[in-house]
Amino acid sequence: MRKLALTHEILMQVEKPARYLGNEINSIHKKPTDGMVRFAMCFPDVYDVGMSHLGLPIIYDMLNRRPDVWCERVYSPWPDLDKIMRDKNIPLFALESQDPIKDFDFLGITLQYEMCYTNILQILDLSDIPFHSKDRKESDPIVIGGGPCTYNPEPIADFFDLFYIGEGEISYDELIDLYKKCKADGKSRNEFLVEAAKIKGIYVPSLYEIIYNSDGTIRERRALFDAPLTVRKVIVTDFASAPYPQKPIIPYMKIVQDRAVLEIMRGCIRGCRFCQAGSVYKPQREKQLKGLLSLAKKILDNTGHEEICLSSLSTSDYSELKPLILGLINECNKRKINISLPSLRIDEFSLDVMKLLLDVRKSSVTFAPEAGSQRLRNVINKGLTEEEILNGASKAFIAGWNKVKLYFMVGQPTEDYDDLAAITELCEKIAMKYYDEIPKEQRHGKIQISASSSFFVPKPFTPFQWAAMLDRDEYLNRAYFIKDNFRKTLNNKSLHYQYNDAETSLMEGVFARGDRKVGTVIETAYKNGAMFDAWTEYFDFDIWKDAFDACGVNMDFYTGRSRSVDEILPWDFIDVGVSKAFLIKEWEKAQMAVPTENCRNKCAGCGAAGFGGGICIEG
Amino acid sequence: MKVRVRFTKTGEMKYIGHLDIMRCFQKAIRRAGFDIAYSQGFNPHQILSFASPLSLGMESEGEYFDAVFNSCLSSEKMIKKFNKQLNDDIRVISFRVLPENAKTNAMASLRACKYRVSLSDEVFKALCEKGKPENLWWDFLSQPEITTERKTKSKLLKADIKPLIIGGKLIDNAIELMLCAGSEKSLKPISVINAFFESLSFPYSGEEAFLKGLISITRLDQFTVDKDSYLSLGEVGEIYE
Ligand code: SF4
C-alpha cells in the first residue's frame, strides 16, 4: 500500500474519503525522476464538482503525454477535512502521489466561476504558499490561473504568478520548456516570469502597474520589464484534430456528472449580447462526425460509463447533429447506455430523438427565451421568436409532453415592466396552446409550466460590459412583479415561477467586472470565514458586506454604474479576438433593439476571423 | 446463466463504500464487454446482487455478488478479464456458475461471516497487562450471557449477543470470529469487540479503536448453510470450463 497523506483515523472521520485517495482507474501514476516537472492541476471546489468538469482532463491528458512531466490533481478539501488539516497542520497534497503541493513546480488553478475565489485562498493557505505572488519564495510553486474567469483576472491578480489566457492546448509545452531551461540556467523565479510573459497567451500580473483616477476608474496601465501591453488569447484553430482524452479517469464515488463527455464543438455561432462564453470562445469550431463517433466508442470502451453526454455551447447548431445523434443512439442501444442531450432547440427532429431517449410522461421540454418580449429579445439578440416557441410547444404537446420549462433573465439593459409582463403572457399563451390544441381525452393531465429567472450579471467582452446591473431592491421588485402576475393568471395552478437570490449575483457582478482593488476584499472575506461561496449553505453575504466596508471598497462602483465606452476597463488589455469597435457597435444596436445575424447566416465582422480558423474561414 | 463472483477488497479500497464498489463492478463489466443480462424497462441496468455490505474501513478476502450472464468464457478466463479492469486492491478470485435451479441469491442464502480482528501492538500490550490474552478471551466468551447496550432515540436496548457468536478464538494478536449474518439474525464484529473491551475496562470502545486504527478488521469469508454445516458462498456452484 502506498503511503496516504491522511491517516486511517482521518479517512474514517471525513465524509466520502474516496475524494482524497487518487487511486481511480485511469488515473496516472508515474515514478518521479530527477528533473521531472511536477504539475498540480487544481479545481478549487470539492472533488464531486471538480471531477465533473471537462477542461481539466484535457490538460491532464495532454501534460501527462510528456514523459518529463507528471500532472496530478488537487481539489478543495471539504470543510470537514479542511478543519482537520488546519488543526493538525497537514499540508494540502496532490491526489496521485499524495505529495505536498508546496513541493511542486507548478500549481495550476482552473477558474470556472467567480464564486470559487475564496477557495483559491483556501488552496494556497492549506498548501502553505503565500497568498501574494510578490511574497513567494524561489521554492514555492509557480501559481497559474486558467479558465473562463481569466478573461478578467484583475480581482485575483495578486494571488497568481501568471495567468494563461485561452485554450490549454496551445502554450503549456512552451511554458514548461522555458521553466526547465530557466531552472537549468539557474535563473530566478522573477527572471522566469519576465520570460514567460513573452509566450503567447501568458499574462504576468506583477509586471503591470495600474494607476487610478480619483473617481476610482483606471487612468493608465503601465507595463514593466518590456511586458506586452496586450495579451491575446490563444485558441486551437485546427480543432477537428485537437487531442482529446480517450481514457478519462473513472471516479469510484458518485460525482455530480458521472458520465462520458464528448466535446463536439467550441465557440458559438450566435451573438447573444449577454453571453460571455459566446464571445470569448469565438470563433465556432467543430469536430468531425466520423472522428466523434469513433471517439465515443473508445471512451465508452475505456470507462464503462453508462451515460454519455454531448458538450458544446449550443448543440443544435452542430452542422451534422442528425447523423451524430443517430449514430450515437445506434451505438448506445447496443451497449444499453443512456444518452443525455443538453437542451436542444425544440423541433420535429429533437422531439423524435427525445421520444426515443426520455420518458415523455416524466420529462419536460425546455426553452430559453431569456426575455419575455420580442423587443427585449432583439435587444439581447436572442434569435428565438414567440412563434418558434409556440410552434415548438405545440409539437411537443402533440407528441405527448405536458411539462414545459422556460428560462429568463431579469435586469437586462433597457428592460421595462412591459417586458416583464410579457414573461407571464408568454407562459399563458403556451398554456392556452395546450388546452386549445390537445383534445381533452388525449391530455395527460394538466399542463405544467415552470419559469425561472436569474439576475442578469454584465460580463466583460460582451456588448453589455458597459451596462449597469440592477440594485438588489429593484431586482426583487421586478421578481415580485412577475410572481404577482403569475398568481393572477387564469391557469395559476399550472404556472410556476421562481427566481434566483440576489446576493450571489451581486457578488458575481463585482468579481466579473472588478479591478485589483477587489482582491483585498476577497482576502478579508476569506480571513473572516468565507469559503465555498458557490454553495448556498456556506455563502454568507454578511461576511462580504463587512469585508467591503472594512476595505473601503464600494460594491456599487462595480455593479450599479454604467460605464462610458471611453472608460479604460480593467480587462481591456486582453485581446479575445472580438474587437472593441464591434462590441461598441453591438451595444449601440442593442439600445435600438436591432438584432445581428449569426455567423452562419452572415459574418458580422466581429474580428475573430483573425485567428484563421473555424466558421469564419470555413463558412 | 447465474454466476457468483468472489472478490477481495484490500488496502486503499477499504475506504470505498459499498455502493461505489457496485458501480465500480458495473463499469468494469461494461469495459470488459461481458455478455451480462440487463433488466427490462426504460433504463435497463445490470442485475447484480451483492451479499452483505462491508462496513467502510474493513478489508475483505471474501466479498460476493451474483449476476446473470447470457454467455461467458471459462471461469479462469473470466477472472483474468475481470482483473484486467480492476486494480491491485480489488481482485476477482473466483467465478462460478450457480445451478440453474438455485432459488436464492448470495444475500438471501447468507448465514454467517468470518472475520479476523487484528490488534495493534498498543492494544495487545494493554491486553497483556490485564492477564494472559488467551485466558481473558476464554473467560469473556464462556460467560453465560454477553449483554450489550444500544441506545435508540427513546430507550436503551439490551441484548444478549452470545447466541449470535458461532465461534471465536484468539491466536497471537488476532481474534477470529464466526458470527451469524443474513437477514434474520446478524451480528457485527465490532459489537463483540465492544463487549470484550468493556469487560476489560479498556479506556476505548471497540468502535473507537477501529476508527483510530488501533484494531483492523478483515472479513475472511461469508457462508451459507448446507446440510447442517457451513459452506463458503464461493464453493456453491461449479467452476466453468
Ligand atoms: S468573424 Fe464573423 S464569422 Fe467569425 S466569429 Fe466573428 S462574426 Fe462570426
Side-chain angles (χ1 to χ4, degrees), chain B:
Chain B
M1 56 207 309
K2 230 177 139 181
V3 306
R4 176 163 298 165
V5 175
R6 175 176 180 169
F7 63 97
T8 62
K9 185 185 172 199
T10 54
E12 291 165 23
M13 290 305 288
K14 70 179 168 205
Y15 302 113
I16 307 290
H18 175 65
L19 290 175
D20 294 342
I21 293 289
M22 228 162 97
R23 286 154 16 85
C24 160
F25 270 105
Q26 285 165 342
K27 288 182 179 168
I29 288 170
R30 285 179 194 281
R31 290 198 299 277
F34 290 147
D35 186 13
I36 192 171
Y38 282 83
S39 68
Q40 300 294 315
F42 218 93
N43 290 312
H45 54 270
Q46 300 167 8
I47 312 161
L48 298 189
S49 85
F50 278 71
S52 126
L54 186 71
S55 307
L56 204 73
M58 288 188 194
E59 296 184 299
S60 178
E61 291 168 14
E63 294 302 290
Y64 295 92
F65 68 84
D66 292 351
V68 179
F69 279 70
N70 298 319
S71 67
C72 67
L73 305 169
S74 71
S75 291
E76 196 193 324
K77 285 194 176 130
M78 292 301 280
I79 293 172
K80 271 208 188 110
K81 282 196 138 203
F82 257 117
N83 287 335
K84 248 183 91 176
Q85 302 300 336
L86 300 167
N87 66 29
D88 288 347
D89 288 333
I90 180 162
R91 305 307 286 166
V92 166
I93 54 172
S94 138
F95 180 96
R96 286 194 177 209
V97 176
L98 299 176
E100 252 342 292
N101 58 2
K103 278 188 248 59
T104 52
N105 58 27
M107 184 66 188
S109 62
L110 179 72
R111 291 292 174 274
C113 287
K114 193 174 184 183
Y115 299 90
R116 183 178 56 230
V117 181
S118 305
L119 312 178
S120 65
D121 292 348
E122 183 183 335
V123 174
F124 192 65
K125 227 177 97 203
L127 191 62
C128 291
E129 277 163 19
K130 305 262 175 193
K132 206 164 169 259
E134 289 79 15
N135 297 347
L136 294 170
W137 175 251
W138 178 248
D139 291 346
F140 166 73
L141 213 56
S142 51
Q143 301 170 83
E145 273 189 7
I146 302 176
T147 44
T148 56
E149 286 175 354
R150 193 161 57 90
K151 260 198 218 116
T152 67
K153 263 181 235 130
S154 50
K155 53 187 172 229
L156 205 64
L157 289 179
K158 278 197 178 179
D160 177 15
I161 58 169
K162 188 161 179 202
L164 303 181
I165 304 176
I166 301 163
K169 54 184 178 215
L170 188 143
I171 315 161
D172 299 331
N173 58 355
I175 300 170
E176 249 181 51
L177 292 169
M178 180 83 159
L179 306 175
C180 283
S183 47
E184 271 171 38
K185 38 187 188 171
S186 160
L187 182 63
K188 293 195 167 114
I190 277 291
S191 308
V192 181
I193 303 302
N194 276 339
F196 182 45
F197 283 7
E198 204 188 302
S199 76
L200 298 165
S201 347
F202 269 11
Y204 36 72
S205 68
E207 176 91 37
E208 282 160 358
F210 173 64
L211 293 177
K212 286 205 163 86
L214 294 174
I215 59 172
S216 58
I217 305 181
T218 305
R219 175 144 71 189
L220 298 174
D221 203 357
Q222 305 181 54
F223 301 85
T224 185
V225 170
D226 183 50
K227 301 188 194 84
D228 290 337
S229 63
Y230 289 105
L231 176 70
S232 162
L233 288 181
E235 278 163 32
V236 181
E238 300 294 329
I239 295 174
Y240 198 62
E241 302 291 348

Side-chain angles (χ1 to χ4, degrees), chain A residues 1-4 7-14 16-18 21-26 250-255 258-259 300-306 335-338 354-360, chain B residues 10-17 19-21 23-24 26-32 37-39 42-46 55-59 85-87 89-90 208-216:
Chain A
M1 192 164 156
R2 76 200 157 116
K3 193 158 165 37
L4 295 176
T7 61
H8 173 82
E9 184 175 9
I10 295 173
L11 287 165
M12 292 302 288
Q13 224 173 313
V14 297
K16 305 187 186 167
L21 299 175
N23 61 344
E24 306 93 327
I25 290 175
N26 294 345
I250 313 161
Y252 285 112
M253 57 173 281
K254 204 159 173 57
I255 57 168
D258 193 11
R259 55 200 188 188
L300 292 173
D301 283 345
N302 289 336
T303 58
H305 276 307
E306 52 186 357
R335 300 170 184 250
K336 307 264 194 307
I337 282 175
N338 299 327
M354 285 163 64
K355 257 189 130 153
L356 279 175
L357 301 179
L358 298 167
D359 186 343
V360 173
Chain B
T10 54
E12 291 165 23
M13 290 305 288
K14 70 179 168 205
Y15 302 113
I16 307 290
L19 290 175
D20 294 342
I21 293 289
R23 286 154 16 85
C24 160
Q26 285 165 342
K27 288 182 179 168
I29 288 170
R30 285 179 194 281
R31 290 198 299 277
Y38 282 83
S39 68
F42 218 93
N43 290 312
H45 54 270
Q46 300 167 8
S55 307
L56 204 73
M58 288 188 194
E59 296 184 299
Q85 302 300 336
L86 300 167
N87 66 29
D89 288 333
I90 180 162
E208 282 160 358
F210 173 64
L211 293 177
K212 286 205 163 86
L214 294 174
I215 59 172
S216 58

Side-chain angles (χ1 to χ4, degrees), chain A residues 268-269 282-284 578 582 598-600 602-610 613 615-617:
Chain A
C268 182
I269 57 169
K282 271 196 175 353
Q284 185 250 24
V578 174
F582 174 78
N598 72 48
C599 299
R600 196 163 278 150
K602 181 169 173 276
C603 169
C606 77
I615 188 140
C616 325
I617 307 299

